[in-house]
Amino acid sequence: MLGKPFARDRILRPLRRVTATTTTAGLIIAVSGTAHASACSQSHLPLPDSSCTPGSYHPDATQSNIHSTICVSGWTDTVRPSTSYTNPLKARSIIDYGYSDTNMSDYEEEHLVPLVLGRAPRDPGNLWPEPHYGTKTVYTKYGTETKPKNAVCNGTITLSAARSAIKNNLTTALQVTGIG
């Protein structure tokens, strides 16, 4: 009988250690990260809080090389970060944004500046947890991302103009650039 509890403890001890480490790491992240729990405002929805998600650009995607980067079919797949990278950011961001719904499947860890316009794929300052619910969501904005990209690739607008319009206000980007 003494052998069974000992065997169980050997199995549970590593789990407890992992849980404690995860919990401790989560607290350290919340305390020492750039944003603290509920430090980001939801008042900007469907847009992110610009103080928490200022946006950033991929240094290798420039106006001079758009035809070998963003305008190439499949380029986004070569720079898209894996969910093993974005999921921990999403979990932290859900807390940072103070969402009462903490179900990760209810959010897309979205990029303010979209990948199709050469966003910085791994910069946490370009990522935020966009709810799948509400008036304008991740599902309704893909056309707003694709139209400027197509206009940039066709030479209708510059990459800088498209990025600025999206970064400043995704909901008005098409009108601001004159392509909407």
Side-chain angles (χ1 to χ4, degrees), residues 4-16:
K4 287 185 182 178
F6 179 73
R8 185 193 67 205
D9 286 346
R10 277 196 325 206
I11 293 169
L12 293 179
R13 244 183 255 133
L15 292 176
R16 285 187 198 125

PDB file of all heavy atoms in Angstrom, residues 4-16:
ATOM      1  N   LYS A   4       1.871   2.416  -3.646  1.00  0.00           N
ATOM      2  CA  LYS A   4       0.921   3.110  -4.522  1.00  0.00           C
ATOM      3  C   LYS A   4       0.916   4.627  -4.318  1.00  0.00           C
ATOM      4  O   LYS A   4       1.040   5.367  -5.276  1.00  0.00           O
ATOM      5  CB  LYS A   4      -0.476   2.514  -4.368  1.00  0.00           C
ATOM      6  CG  LYS A   4      -0.595   1.158  -5.005  1.00  0.00           C
ATOM      7  CD  LYS A   4      -2.008   0.649  -4.932  1.00  0.00           C
ATOM      8  CE  LYS A   4      -2.055  -0.743  -5.539  1.00  0.00           C
ATOM      9  NZ  LYS A   4      -3.374  -1.307  -5.459  1.00  0.00           N
ATOM     10  N   PRO A   5       0.798   5.121  -3.079  1.00  0.00           N
ATOM     11  CA  PRO A   5       0.841   6.570  -2.933  1.00  0.00           C
ATOM     12  C   PRO A   5       2.158   7.160  -3.417  1.00  0.00           C
ATOM     13  O   PRO A   5       2.185   8.208  -4.022  1.00  0.00           O
ATOM     14  CB  PRO A   5       0.650   6.798  -1.426  1.00  0.00           C
ATOM     15  CG  PRO A   5      -0.069   5.588  -0.947  1.00  0.00           C
ATOM     16  CD  PRO A   5       0.448   4.460  -1.817  1.00  0.00           C
ATOM     17  N   PHE A   6       3.272   6.445  -3.166  1.00  0.00           N
ATOM     18  CA  PHE A   6       4.567   6.933  -3.620  1.00  0.00           C
ATOM     19  C   PHE A   6       4.590   7.042  -5.142  1.00  0.00           C
ATOM     20  O   PHE A   6       5.018   8.048  -5.687  1.00  0.00           O
ATOM     21  CB  PHE A   6       5.685   6.011  -3.119  1.00  0.00           C
ATOM     22  CG  PHE A   6       7.038   6.449  -3.578  1.00  0.00           C
ATOM     23  CD1 PHE A   6       7.637   7.564  -3.023  1.00  0.00           C
ATOM     24  CD2 PHE A   6       7.706   5.753  -4.568  1.00  0.00           C
ATOM     25  CE1 PHE A   6       8.884   7.986  -3.448  1.00  0.00           C
ATOM     26  CE2 PHE A   6       8.949   6.171  -5.002  1.00  0.00           C
ATOM     27  CZ  PHE A   6       9.541   7.279  -4.436  1.00  0.00           C
ATOM     28  N   ALA A   7       4.082   6.034  -5.834  1.00  0.00           N
ATOM     29  CA  ALA A   7       4.045   6.055  -7.304  1.00  0.00           C
ATOM     30  C   ALA A   7       3.155   7.199  -7.786  1.00  0.00           C
ATOM     31  O   ALA A   7       3.495   7.915  -8.706  1.00  0.00           O
ATOM     32  CB  ALA A   7       3.547   4.716  -7.843  1.00  0.00           C
ATOM     33  N   ARG A   8       2.009   7.391  -7.129  1.00  0.00           N
ATOM     34  CA  ARG A   8       1.111   8.477  -7.509  1.00  0.00           C
ATOM     35  C   ARG A   8       1.787   9.824  -7.286  1.00  0.00           C
ATOM     36  O   ARG A   8       1.726  10.721  -8.122  1.00  0.00           O
ATOM     37  CB  ARG A   8      -0.179   8.389  -6.691  1.00  0.00           C
ATOM     38  CG  ARG A   8      -1.212   9.425  -7.132  1.00  0.00           C
ATOM     39  CD  ARG A   8      -2.331   9.571  -6.159  1.00  0.00           C
ATOM     40  NE  ARG A   8      -1.759  10.144  -4.952  1.00  0.00           N
ATOM     41  CZ  ARG A   8      -2.294   9.991  -3.759  1.00  0.00           C
ATOM     42  NH1 ARG A   8      -3.375   9.301  -3.586  1.00  0.00           N
ATOM     43  NH2 ARG A   8      -1.730  10.547  -2.703  1.00  0.00           N
ATOM     44  N   ASP A   9       2.463   9.979  -6.160  1.00  0.00           N
ATOM     45  CA  ASP A   9       3.152  11.235  -5.880  1.00  0.00           C
ATOM     46  C   ASP A   9       4.234  11.513  -6.912  1.00  0.00           C
ATOM     47  O   ASP A   9       4.437  12.647  -7.301  1.00  0.00           O
ATOM     48  CB  ASP A   9       3.777  11.216  -4.479  1.00  0.00           C
ATOM     49  CG  ASP A   9       2.728  11.362  -3.382  1.00  0.00           C
ATOM     50  OD1 ASP A   9       1.586  11.735  -3.716  1.00  0.00           O
ATOM     51  OD2 ASP A   9       3.067  11.101  -2.217  1.00  0.00           O
ATOM     52  N   ARG A  10       4.944  10.462  -7.338  1.00  0.00           N
ATOM     53  CA  ARG A  10       5.974  10.664  -8.362  1.00  0.00           C
ATOM     54  C   ARG A  10       5.346  11.143  -9.653  1.00  0.00           C
ATOM     55  O   ARG A  10       5.913  11.942 -10.369  1.00  0.00           O
ATOM     56  CB  ARG A  10       6.749   9.368  -8.623  1.00  0.00           C
ATOM     57  CG  ARG A  10       7.848   9.147  -7.648  1.00  0.00           C
ATOM     58  CD  ARG A  10       8.796   8.108  -8.148  1.00  0.00           C
ATOM     59  NE  ARG A  10       8.099   7.064  -8.886  1.00  0.00           N
ATOM     60  CZ  ARG A  10       8.536   5.824  -9.017  1.00  0.00           C
ATOM     61  NH1 ARG A  10       9.662   5.464  -8.477  1.00  0.00           N
ATOM     62  NH2 ARG A  10       7.860   4.938  -9.695  1.00  0.00           N
ATOM     63  N   ILE A  11       4.160  10.691  -9.943  1.00  0.00           N
ATOM     64  CA  ILE A  11       3.469  11.116 -11.163  1.00  0.00           C
ATOM     65  C   ILE A  11       2.912  12.520 -10.987  1.00  0.00           C
ATOM     66  O   ILE A  11       3.052  13.370 -11.850  1.00  0.00           O
ATOM     67  CB  ILE A  11       2.343  10.132 -11.542  1.00  0.00           C
ATOM     68  CG1 ILE A  11       2.961   8.795 -11.958  1.00  0.00           C
ATOM     69  CG2 ILE A  11       1.467  10.700 -12.652  1.00  0.00           C
ATOM     70  CD1 ILE A  11       1.955   7.675 -12.088  1.00  0.00           C
ATOM     71  N   LEU A  12       2.302  12.806  -9.846  1.00  0.00           N
ATOM     72  CA  LEU A  12       1.674  14.102  -9.640  1.00  0.00           C
ATOM     73  C   LEU A  12       2.672  15.218  -9.372  1.00  0.00           C
ATOM     74  O   LEU A  12       2.429  16.352  -9.748  1.00  0.00           O
ATOM     75  CB  LEU A  12       0.665  14.026  -8.489  1.00  0.00           C
ATOM     76  CG  LEU A  12      -0.565  13.168  -8.753  1.00  0.00           C
ATOM     77  CD1 LEU A  12      -1.465  13.158  -7.528  1.00  0.00           C
ATOM     78  CD2 LEU A  12      -1.336  13.672  -9.965  1.00  0.00           C
ATOM     79  N   ARG A  13       3.775  14.909  -8.722  1.00  0.00           N
ATOM     80  CA  ARG A  13       4.746  15.953  -8.422  1.00  0.00           C
ATOM     81  C   ARG A  13       5.189  16.728  -9.653  1.00  0.00           C
ATOM     82  O   ARG A  13       5.155  17.948  -9.643  1.00  0.00           O
ATOM     83  CB  ARG A  13       5.948  15.349  -7.691  1.00  0.00           C
ATOM     84  CG  ARG A  13       6.068  15.909  -6.310  1.00  0.00           C
ATOM     85  CD  ARG A  13       7.273  15.397  -5.583  1.00  0.00           C
ATOM     86  NE  ARG A  13       6.817  14.430  -4.598  1.00  0.00           N
ATOM     87  CZ  ARG A  13       7.341  13.242  -4.389  1.00  0.00           C
ATOM     88  NH1 ARG A  13       8.378  12.850  -5.072  1.00  0.00           N
ATOM     89  NH2 ARG A  13       6.857  12.446  -3.487  1.00  0.00           N
ATOM     90  N   PRO A  14       5.557  16.052 -10.746  1.00  0.00           N
ATOM     91  CA  PRO A  14       5.930  16.844 -11.932  1.00  0.00           C
ATOM     92  C   PRO A  14       4.769  17.687 -12.448  1.00  0.00           C
ATOM     93  O   PRO A  14       4.961  18.799 -12.893  1.00  0.00           O
ATOM     94  CB  PRO A  14       6.349  15.793 -12.955  1.00  0.00           C
ATOM     95  CG  PRO A  14       6.747  14.606 -12.137  1.00  0.00           C
ATOM     96  CD  PRO A  14       5.867  14.643 -10.918  1.00  0.00           C
ATOM     97  N   LEU A  15       3.545  17.172 -12.369  1.00  0.00           N
ATOM     98  CA  LEU A  15       2.396  17.944 -12.829  1.00  0.00           C
ATOM     99  C   LEU A  15       2.212  19.184 -11.955  1.00  0.00           C
ATOM    100  O   LEU A  15       1.960  20.265 -12.449  1.00  0.00           O
ATOM    101  CB  LEU A  15       1.130  17.091 -12.823  1.00  0.00           C
ATOM    102  CG  LEU A  15       1.101  15.958 -13.841  1.00  0.00           C
ATOM    103  CD1 LEU A  15      -0.166  15.129 -13.660  1.00  0.00           C
ATOM    104  CD2 LEU A  15       1.199  16.490 -15.245  1.00  0.00           C
ATOM    105  N   ARG A  16       2.343  19.011 -10.654  1.00  0.00           N
ATOM    106  CA  ARG A  16       2.228  20.157  -9.757  1.00  0.00           C
ATOM    107  C   ARG A  16       3.323  21.176 -10.069  1.00  0.00           C
ATOM    108  O   ARG A  16       3.081  22.358 -10.106  1.00  0.00           O
ATOM    109  CB  ARG A  16       2.332  19.703  -8.301  1.00  0.00           C
ATOM    110  CG  ARG A  16       1.092  19.024  -7.808  1.00  0.00           C
ATOM    111  CD  ARG A  16       1.198  18.756  -6.315  1.00  0.00           C
ATOM    112  NE  ARG A  16       0.223  17.763  -5.951  1.00  0.00           N
ATOM    113  CZ  ARG A  16       0.487  16.629  -5.329  1.00  0.00           C
ATOM    114  NH1 ARG A  16       1.716  16.344  -4.964  1.00  0.00           N
ATOM    115  NH2 ARG A  16      -0.462  15.786  -5.047  1.00  0.00           N
TER     116      ARG A  16
END
